[in-house]
Amino acid sequence: MANNIEVKELLEAGVHFGHMTRKWDPNMAPYIYMERNGIHIINLYKTAAKIEEANEALKKIAASGRKVLFVATKKQAKDIVAEKATACNMPYITERWPGGMLTNFVTIRKAVKKMASIDRMKKDGTFMTLSKKERLQVDRLRAKLEKNLGSIADMTRLPAALFVVDVKAEHIAIKEAQKLNIPVFAMVDTNSDPRPIDFVIPANDDASKSIEKVLSLVSGAIVDGLSDRKAEKDEQPAKEVDTTTAEATTSNE
């Protein structure tokens, strides 16, 4: 259950501030506590409970060794998402969403491989055999690929889930995920439709303080999942040793 400390922290971060009442989406009604000065106030007890629910699922995904792709291209969320996703070793998109990122993943992987091949050219000296003009073109291409796809360079297969900040801004990403039955976790503000989202976190998705708070809790759960996975891997050899020892003892008897 959501505890009071969590709710207090969410309150201090301004997670409860929704949009003006005239801009609301009626489907968010179950998550709205009240209206104050023409602004909807989000029910933070429901937010805290939803974060716990989302965290439980994200922890399991991380523990299974799969990836969660973070998506946030709005100005106030970009740096926070890049920082938190990097901290829990997950891929992220903070520049423009590349159309077909999920539905045409093979093409996206080709672009990432192109980036790697340019890096190889620079290492083995092939790059310096090009003309000055060609080197300039290759450098520009490398910089463009790095900006758009650098953060997903290690993502060799489709992610197990998406985590989105602002469902309106990232509607293309959400549609692609739906086509492929990839679950979507998202911060959903009072002006957005929560129905396409599998794990709704009702929250203020405009203030950086609010985004920072929710992302800290979410990334923390992923880190826990990764720790569980590591602990399980570390236990495996020990179990094998125990089994081998037991078998050897039995055969000696």
Side-chain angles (χ1 to χ4, degrees):
M1 278 299 290
N3 59 52
N4 292 329
I5 300 167
E6 250 186 6
V7 170
K8 186 172 179 262
E9 286 174 5
L10 296 174
L11 186 70
E12 286 168 356
V15 177
H16 58 299
F17 291 120
H19 281 260
M20 286 186 282
T21 51
R22 60 186 170 83
K23 287 187 174 181
W24 83 312
D25 187 302
N27 293 298
M28 279 299 286
Y31 306 111
I32 293 170
Y33 175 62
M34 65 182 288
E35 174 257 318
R36 189 188 294 156
N37 301 328
I39 290 172
H40 275 131
I41 303 297
I42 294 164
N43 185 332
L44 290 182
Y45 284 95
K46 291 196 174 182
T47 302
K50 286 290 185 182
I51 290 172
E52 287 194 2
E53 188 184 312
N55 282 357
E56 198 58 42
L58 289 166
K59 189 178 172 182
K60 281 179 185 171
I61 290 170
S64 71
R66 294 172 297 164
K67 296 287 185 185
V68 177
L69 176 62
F70 285 79
V71 186
T73 57
K74 66 198 290 182
K75 191 181 173 185
Q76 59 270 54
K78 287 165 77 164
D79 291 346
I80 298 166
V81 164
E83 181 200 329
K84 300 298 181 188
T86 303
C88 61
N89 198 28
M90 290 294 161
Y92 60 90
I93 295 286
T94 52
E95 296 303 322
R96 184 184 64 84
W97 175 263
M101 166 75 216
L102 300 176
T103 50
N104 198 8
F105 189 64
V106 175
T107 304
I108 297 294
R109 282 301 303 162
K110 279 180 186 170
V112 170
K113 282 177 183 172
K114 178 71 180 170
M115 200 162 62
S117 72
I118 293 170
D119 291 344
R120 277 197 301 275
M121 281 171 65
K122 289 190 173 186
K123 273 185 183 175
D124 63 21
T126 315
F127 181 71
M128 295 313 292
T129 64
L130 303 173
S131 69
K132 192 177 178 182
K133 187 183 175 184
E134 285 171 329
R135 288 203 302 270
L136 194 64
Q137 286 173 337
V138 170
D139 273 335
R140 279 181 186 153
L141 174 62
R142 175 68 178 80
K144 188 182 176 186
L145 289 169
E146 175 63 43
K147 187 181 178 186
N148 293 324
L149 305 171
S151 59
I152 60 152
D154 297 330
M155 196 172 80
T156 53
R157 57 177 177 160
L158 283 169
L162 246 62
F163 190 98
V164 173
V165 177
D166 194 332
V167 298
K168 277 198 162 186
E170 315 305 343
H171 64 279
I172 297 169
I174 291 166
K175 276 183 181 166
E176 286 194 32
Q178 283 179 308
K179 276 184 186 174
L180 299 168
N181 293 321
I182 295 171
V184 179
F185 296 71
M187 286 178 71
V188 187
D189 214 327
T190 58
N191 67 332
S192 305
D193 185 355
R195 289 176 300 175
I197 311 303
D198 301 282
F199 291 85
V200 175
I201 298 175
N204 175 357
D205 66 10
D206 291 311
S208 54
K209 210 173 171 186
S210 171
I211 297 166
E212 166 92 38
K213 184 65 203 168
V214 173
L215 264 290
S216 293
L217 295 166
V218 164
S219 58
I222 291 173
V223 168
D224 287 347
L226 293 171
S227 298
D228 288 353
R229 179 173 171 76
K230 188 178 182 300
E232 200 175 307
K233 276 188 172 181
D234 291 344
E235 276 175 23
Q236 207 61 42
K239 280 180 183 174
E240 284 169 10
V241 169
D242 289 346
T243 307
T244 310
T245 308
E247 284 172 357
T249 308
T250 308
S251 60
N252 288 338
E253 286 171 0

